[in-house]
Amino acid sequence: MRKFFFVVTVFLLSNIFAQVESNRNRKWQIGFGTGVVKFSDEDASFIGDKNMIQIPRLNLTIPIGEQLSLDGAMSFNSFGVGFIDNSVKYFSLDGSVRYNFNQLSEDFVPYVFAGGSLVDSERKMTPTFNVGAGLTYWITNSLGLNTQLYYKHSLESFESMRSHIQITGSLIYSFDIGNLFSGRATSAIGGACYFNQH
């Protein structure tokens, strides 16, 4: 199983770096938000908590095609602010491939996704297989609101985690990665020309 996740991780990373150059004119997205994890009553007695809150949750989405994108996220345990303290810890690293139905509407973009997570609990870090759906509502050209519903399946062979649901909500900011690089290049060229003239 460890070899499988290693191969999947290498594959995803290689695709990210292979596609950066060809997708510089596309929009990347970063998000900041929160999440809620829900276990069944039976599994909650094993895990130690039924509903857990994650603050913050950070994610980065990179387009790799017209309707496909890669998404990576980190969900941290809550920082302990009174009424949202968790009885046990929950930290996860998530990776998924999205299929975006962006042809349906300019403002509302629904999508489905599949991927995996590494979930760190009270016992040890455990892999899960994920499927789910999400929706982004674009308030402006650059700012949007996003919500997602995960089903994280934990194999019975793993004794440290149980299958569960995660619901997330985030504020999304989109940006053109190509402009960042072209801006630097323009400044460098402009500076060189200035000095060459004197």
Side-chain angles (χ1 to χ4, degrees):
M1 187 58 64
R2 290 181 179 177
K3 291 181 179 179
F4 172 77
F5 274 93
F6 176 78
V7 170
V8 171
T9 302
V10 171
F11 174 77
L12 291 177
L13 289 176
S14 63
N15 271 282
I16 290 173
F17 291 110
Q19 295 293 332
V20 166
E21 185 65 31
S22 61
N23 289 287
R24 283 183 175 174
N25 291 327
R26 301 173 189 267
K27 295 287 186 178
W28 289 32
Q29 300 169 20
I30 55 174
F32 179 87
T34 185
V36 177
V37 166
K38 299 179 69 66
F39 289 90
S40 67
D41 291 335
E42 180 182 353
D43 293 332
S45 62
F46 172 82
I47 295 298
D49 206 342
K50 182 175 182 179
N51 302 310
M52 291 184 282
I53 297 178
Q54 294 79 54
I55 299 176
R57 184 178 186 275
L58 310 173
N59 76 286
L60 172 66
T61 305
I62 302 173
I64 58 173
E66 290 298 326
Q67 292 175 268
L68 290 177
S69 57
L70 294 177
D71 183 75
M74 290 189 297
S75 296
F76 294 87
N77 201 53
S78 69
F79 290 149
V81 287
F83 68 97
I84 59 172
D85 288 354
N86 297 326
S87 300
V88 296
K89 70 176 181 178
Y90 183 99
F91 170 81
S92 70
L93 294 172
D94 310 320
S96 60
V97 178
R98 291 183 181 179
Y99 181 82
N100 305 291
F101 299 96
N102 49 18
Q103 74 276 19
L104 299 180
S105 171
E106 292 184 1
D107 296 331
F108 292 91
V109 181
Y111 57 87
V112 292
F113 61 86
S117 295
L118 290 174
V119 179
D120 190 17
S121 64
E122 294 295 306
R123 294 168 177 83
K124 61 181 180 179
M125 188 167 283
T126 306
T128 65
F129 300 97
N130 309 334
V131 292
L135 175 69
T136 300
Y137 169 65
W138 292 105
I139 304 170
T140 68
N141 289 334
S142 299
L143 287 177
L145 298 174
N146 174 266
T147 185
Q148 291 186 132
L149 174 64
Y150 282 82
Y151 172 70
K152 295 187 174 182
H153 179 71
S154 179
L155 297 177
E156 293 182 1
S157 57
F158 297 117
E159 298 179 356
S160 56
M161 183 49 58
R162 293 291 187 269
S163 299
H164 56 280
I165 290 174
Q166 184 181 29
I167 303 169
T168 68
S170 301
L171 178 66
I172 302 295
Y173 175 74
S174 69
F175 60 97
D176 190 342
I177 192 69
N179 287 342
L180 297 179
F181 290 105
S182 63
R184 292 178 182 177
T186 302
S187 298
I189 293 172
C193 292
Y194 174 82
F195 288 109
N196 287 337
Q197 292 174 357
H198 295 82

